[in-house]
Amino acid sequence: MTHILKNCNQIFIDFDGVIVDSNKFKEDAIANAITKLLGHTKNNIDAIEYFNINAGISRKKKLELFFKDDDINQIMKIYSKECKNFFSTANPTNGLIEFLKYINIKHKKIKKYILSGGEKGEIEYFLKKNSLFDFFDEILASDKSKVNHLKEKQVERDDIFIGDSKNDLQASIKSGIKFILFEGYKSLKSFPQDELIKKNIIYKTKNFESLIYLLSQ
Protein backbone atom coordinates (compact mmCIF):
# COMPACT_ATOMS: atom_id res chain seq x y z
CA MET A 1 0.00 0.00 0.00
CA THR A 2 3.02 2.32 -0.20
CA HIS A 3 1.51 3.74 -3.40
CA ILE A 4 -0.69 5.88 -1.13
CA LEU A 5 2.39 7.98 -0.34
CA LYS A 6 4.05 7.84 -3.76
CA ASN A 7 2.82 11.23 -4.96
CA CYS A 8 2.07 12.74 -1.55
CA ASN A 9 3.92 15.95 -0.72
CA GLN A 10 2.13 16.95 2.49
CA ILE A 11 0.59 15.04 5.39
CA PHE A 12 -1.74 16.86 7.79
CA ILE A 13 -2.37 15.21 11.17
CA ASP A 14 -5.15 16.13 13.57
CA PHE A 15 -4.20 16.50 17.23
CA ASP A 16 -7.01 15.43 19.59
CA GLY A 17 -7.95 11.79 19.10
CA VAL A 18 -5.04 11.18 16.73
CA ILE A 19 -1.77 12.39 18.24
CA VAL A 20 -3.10 12.27 21.80
CA ASP A 21 -6.03 10.40 23.34
CA SER A 22 -7.82 13.50 24.60
CA ASN A 23 -11.37 13.46 23.24
CA LYS A 24 -13.08 12.15 26.37
CA PHE A 25 -11.06 14.46 28.58
CA LYS A 26 -11.96 17.53 26.53
CA GLU A 27 -15.66 16.66 26.46
CA ASP A 28 -15.67 16.45 30.26
CA ALA A 29 -13.48 19.53 30.65
CA ILE A 30 -15.73 21.86 28.66
CA ALA A 31 -18.80 20.58 30.52
CA ASN A 32 -17.05 21.24 33.83
CA ALA A 33 -15.92 24.71 32.78
CA ILE A 34 -19.34 25.85 31.58
CA THR A 35 -21.40 24.39 34.44
CA LYS A 36 -18.90 25.52 37.07
CA LEU A 37 -19.17 29.09 35.85
CA LEU A 38 -22.77 29.34 34.64
CA GLY A 39 -24.73 26.38 35.98
CA HIS A 40 -27.07 23.84 34.36
CA THR A 41 -29.33 25.83 32.01
CA LYS A 42 -30.74 24.68 28.69
CA ASN A 43 -28.48 27.10 26.85
CA ASN A 44 -25.45 25.72 28.65
CA ILE A 45 -26.41 22.11 27.98
CA ASP A 46 -26.97 22.94 24.31
CA ALA A 47 -23.60 24.68 24.19
CA ILE A 48 -21.79 21.66 25.65
CA GLU A 49 -23.49 19.32 23.18
CA TYR A 50 -22.67 21.57 20.22
CA PHE A 51 -19.07 22.00 21.40
CA ASN A 52 -18.48 18.26 21.60
CA ILE A 53 -20.30 17.28 18.41
CA ASN A 54 -18.20 19.78 16.46
CA ALA A 55 -14.73 18.64 17.44
CA GLY A 56 -12.07 20.17 15.22
CA ILE A 57 -13.52 23.68 15.17
CA SER A 58 -12.00 26.53 17.18
CA ARG A 59 -13.32 26.52 20.75
CA LYS A 60 -13.92 30.27 20.70
CA LYS A 61 -16.01 30.10 17.51
CA LYS A 62 -18.20 27.43 19.07
CA LEU A 63 -18.67 29.31 22.33
CA GLU A 64 -19.52 32.57 20.52
CA LEU A 65 -22.79 30.99 19.37
CA PHE A 66 -24.01 30.69 22.96
CA PHE A 67 -22.24 33.17 25.27
CA LYS A 68 -21.18 36.79 25.70
CA ASP A 69 -17.52 37.79 25.44
CA ASP A 70 -16.95 38.04 29.20
CA ASP A 71 -18.35 34.57 29.80
CA ILE A 72 -16.37 33.14 26.88
CA ASN A 73 -13.15 34.49 28.32
CA GLN A 74 -13.88 32.96 31.72
CA ILE A 75 -14.91 29.60 30.26
CA MET A 76 -11.78 29.46 28.11
CA LYS A 77 -9.59 30.36 31.08
CA ILE A 78 -10.96 27.46 33.13
CA TYR A 79 -10.91 25.08 30.16
CA SER A 80 -7.37 26.01 29.11
CA LYS A 81 -6.06 25.45 32.63
CA GLU A 82 -7.55 21.94 32.66
CA CYS A 83 -6.08 21.23 29.21
CA LYS A 84 -2.61 22.35 30.32
CA ASN A 85 -2.80 20.03 33.33
CA PHE A 86 -3.92 17.13 31.13
CA PHE A 87 -1.20 17.62 28.53
CA SER A 88 1.46 17.80 31.24
CA THR A 89 1.04 14.05 31.85
CA ALA A 90 -0.46 12.75 28.57
CA ASN A 91 1.50 10.52 26.19
CA PRO A 92 1.46 10.23 22.39
CA THR A 93 -0.83 7.60 20.88
CA ASN A 94 0.46 4.15 19.90
CA GLY A 95 2.95 4.15 17.08
CA LEU A 96 3.11 7.92 16.52
CA ILE A 97 6.88 8.28 16.96
CA GLU A 98 7.52 5.21 14.82
CA PHE A 99 5.23 6.60 12.10
CA LEU A 100 7.00 9.97 12.04
CA LYS A 101 10.39 8.25 11.83
CA TYR A 102 9.06 5.99 9.07
CA ILE A 103 8.03 9.00 7.00
CA ASN A 104 11.38 10.71 7.62
CA ILE A 105 13.29 7.65 6.42
CA LYS A 106 11.09 6.32 3.62
CA HIS A 107 9.52 9.55 2.33
CA LYS A 108 11.84 12.42 3.17
CA LYS A 109 10.18 14.81 0.72
CA ILE A 110 6.83 14.73 2.54
CA LYS A 111 6.17 17.69 4.82
CA LYS A 112 4.30 16.98 8.05
CA TYR A 113 1.87 19.38 9.70
CA ILE A 114 -0.40 19.29 12.70
CA LEU A 115 -3.83 20.54 11.62
CA SER A 116 -6.05 21.20 14.62
CA GLY A 117 -8.88 23.30 15.97
CA GLY A 118 -6.97 23.42 19.25
CA GLU A 119 -4.79 26.17 20.64
CA LYS A 120 -1.27 26.37 19.21
CA GLY A 121 0.36 26.96 22.60
CA GLU A 122 -1.17 23.83 24.11
CA ILE A 123 -0.14 21.71 21.13
CA GLU A 124 3.39 23.10 21.16
CA TYR A 125 3.66 22.43 24.90
CA PHE A 126 2.66 18.77 24.43
CA LEU A 127 5.01 18.26 21.49
CA LYS A 128 8.02 19.73 23.25
CA LYS A 129 7.31 17.78 26.44
CA ASN A 130 7.27 14.54 24.44
CA SER A 131 10.23 15.41 22.15
CA LEU A 132 7.99 15.55 19.08
CA PHE A 133 8.23 19.21 18.09
CA ASP A 134 11.06 18.83 15.57
CA PHE A 135 9.21 16.16 13.59
CA PHE A 136 6.71 18.72 12.29
CA ASP A 137 7.16 21.50 9.76
CA GLU A 138 4.42 23.65 11.28
CA ILE A 139 1.48 23.71 13.68
CA LEU A 140 -1.71 24.86 11.95
CA ALA A 141 -4.15 25.66 14.73
CA SER A 142 -7.27 27.57 15.74
CA ASP A 143 -6.37 30.97 14.29
CA LYS A 144 -7.92 29.77 11.00
CA SER A 145 -10.30 27.02 9.92
CA LYS A 146 -8.86 23.73 8.71
CA VAL A 147 -10.17 24.39 5.21
CA ASN A 148 -8.43 27.77 5.12
CA HIS A 149 -5.18 26.28 6.38
CA LEU A 150 -5.32 23.61 3.66
CA LYS A 151 -6.09 26.23 1.01
CA GLU A 152 -3.09 28.30 2.07
CA LYS A 153 -0.85 25.23 1.80
CA GLN A 154 -2.04 24.78 -1.80
CA VAL A 155 -2.83 21.12 -1.26
CA GLU A 156 -3.03 18.65 -4.13
CA ARG A 157 -5.21 15.56 -4.50
CA ASP A 158 -2.50 13.13 -3.36
CA ASP A 159 -1.86 14.98 -0.10
CA ILE A 160 -3.29 13.29 3.00
CA PHE A 161 -5.20 14.38 6.10
CA ILE A 162 -5.26 11.99 9.06
CA GLY A 163 -8.19 12.76 11.37
CA ASP A 164 -10.93 11.32 13.56
CA SER A 165 -14.01 13.54 13.26
CA LYS A 166 -16.69 14.45 10.75
CA ASN A 167 -15.30 17.98 10.55
CA ASP A 168 -11.87 16.59 9.69
CA LEU A 169 -13.36 14.46 6.94
CA GLN A 170 -15.46 17.32 5.60
CA ALA A 171 -12.38 19.57 5.48
CA SER A 172 -10.57 16.97 3.39
CA ILE A 173 -13.55 16.63 1.04
CA LYS A 174 -13.82 20.40 0.56
CA SER A 175 -10.07 20.60 -0.06
CA GLY A 176 -9.98 17.64 -2.44
CA ILE A 177 -7.35 15.60 -0.61
CA LYS A 178 -7.18 12.02 0.65
CA PHE A 179 -8.37 11.11 4.13
CA ILE A 180 -7.30 8.43 6.61
CA LEU A 181 -9.76 7.94 9.47
CA PHE A 182 -8.56 7.08 12.99
CA GLU A 183 -11.04 5.20 15.18
CA GLY A 184 -8.96 3.95 18.12
CA TYR A 185 -9.50 7.09 20.21
CA LYS A 186 -12.70 8.35 18.64
CA SER A 187 -15.59 10.21 20.21
CA LEU A 188 -19.00 8.88 19.26
CA LYS A 189 -20.28 12.45 19.40
CA SER A 190 -18.05 13.75 16.59
CA PHE A 191 -17.20 10.60 14.60
CA PRO A 192 -18.49 10.67 11.00
CA GLN A 193 -21.48 8.57 9.95
CA ASP A 194 -21.00 5.38 7.94
CA GLU A 195 -22.36 6.84 4.70
CA LEU A 196 -19.83 9.69 4.76
CA ILE A 197 -17.02 7.26 5.64
CA LYS A 198 -17.73 4.78 2.85
CA LYS A 199 -17.62 7.38 0.11
CA ASN A 200 -14.70 9.52 1.19
CA ILE A 201 -11.86 7.74 2.98
CA ILE A 202 -8.90 5.77 1.64
CA TYR A 203 -8.38 3.84 4.86
CA LYS A 204 -9.78 3.41 8.35
CA THR A 205 -7.28 2.44 11.03
CA LYS A 206 -7.08 2.06 14.80
CA ASN A 207 -3.83 3.94 15.39
CA PHE A 208 -0.41 4.73 13.91
CA GLU A 209 0.86 1.26 14.72
CA SER A 210 -1.73 -0.34 12.42
CA LEU A 211 -1.23 2.43 9.84
CA ILE A 212 2.49 1.66 9.60
CA TYR A 213 1.63 -1.97 8.97
CA LEU A 214 -0.71 -0.97 6.15
CA LEU A 215 1.79 1.36 4.52
CA SER A 216 4.58 -1.21 4.65
CA GLN A 217 2.60 -3.86 2.72
Side-chain angles (χ1 to χ4, degrees), residues 2-214:
T2 52
H3 65 277
I4 292 172
L5 298 175
K6 184 178 179 181
N7 297 312
C8 176
N9 293 311
Q10 302 179 101
I11 291 178
F12 301 87
I13 307 175
D14 182 42
F15 185 67
D16 294 300
V18 179
I19 284 177
V20 59
D21 184 9
S22 53
N23 281 327
K24 180 63 168 62
F25 159 75
K26 285 198 166 181
E27 289 175 358
D28 292 340
I30 193 62
N32 291 338
I34 290 173
T35 55
K36 181 178 180 180
L37 185 68
L38 301 169
H40 292 275
T41 67
K42 185 180 185 305
N43 179 73
N44 297 348
I45 293 168
D46 289 346
I48 292 166
E49 185 71 9
Y50 181 86
F51 191 100
N52 291 330
I53 288 172
N54 288 283
I57 297 175
S58 161
R59 63 189 66 166
K60 186 173 183 180
K61 287 188 180 299
K62 291 186 285 189
L63 293 172
E64 283 174 344
L65 297 174
F66 297 89
F67 304 107
K68 299 179 294 184
D69 286 346
D70 288 345
D71 289 336
I72 291 170
N73 292 336
Q74 289 300 312
I75 292 167
M76 289 182 63
K77 186 176 180 180
I78 297 168
Y79 181 68
S80 296
K81 184 177 180 180
E82 289 198 32
C83 288
K84 184 73 178 290
N85 290 337
F86 175 82
F87 291 131
S88 69
T89 59
N91 296 312
T93 54
N94 290 344
L96 172 64
I97 296 173
E98 290 77 12
F99 172 78
L100 296 172
K101 289 179 178 178
Y102 172 83
I103 297 298
N104 281 354
I105 294 168
K106 299 288 186 180
H107 302 276
K108 294 179 182 179
K109 71 179 178 67
I110 296 178
K111 290 187 175 182
K112 301 178 296 299
Y113 302 94
I114 289 180
L115 180 59
S116 173
E119 298 298 302
K120 186 173 182 178
E122 293 171 7
I123 297 169
E124 187 173 309
Y125 171 75
F126 175 84
L127 296 180
K128 288 181 176 179
K129 180 184 172 297
N130 289 282
S131 302
L132 295 167
F133 185 77
D134 291 337
F135 280 107
F136 294 95
D137 291 273
E138 192 176 351
I139 299 170
L140 309 174
S142 63
D143 57 313
K144 297 171 187 171
S145 72
K146 292 183 178 182
V147 172
N148 285 339
H149 276 305
L150 292 170
K151 184 177 180 180
E152 288 190 359
K153 291 301 176 186
Q154 298 181 325
V155 293
E156 299 177 344
R157 65 179 184 177
D158 289 313
D159 293 335
I160 295 171
F161 185 12
I162 303 173
D164 72 319
S165 73
K166 65 179 181 182
N167 283 312
D168 293 339
L169 180 48
Q170 287 166 348
S172 77
I173 294 168
K174 289 178 182 177
S175 304
I177 63 174
K178 296 177 178 177
F179 190 78
I180 294 174
L181 179 64
F182 262 44
E183 60 178 349
Y185 315 98
K186 68 184 178 184
S187 162
L188 293 177
K189 294 180 183 294
S190 59
F191 199 68
Q193 295 181 344
D194 288 343
E195 184 178 350
L196 192 63
I197 292 171
K198 290 174 184 176
K199 295 179 180 178
N200 297 290
I201 72 168
I202 58 170
Y203 191 66
K204 182 165 64 172
T205 186
K206 183 178 179 181
N207 53 37
F208 285 104
E209 191 173 48
S210 55
L211 181 57
I212 294 169
Y213 176 79
L214 168 76

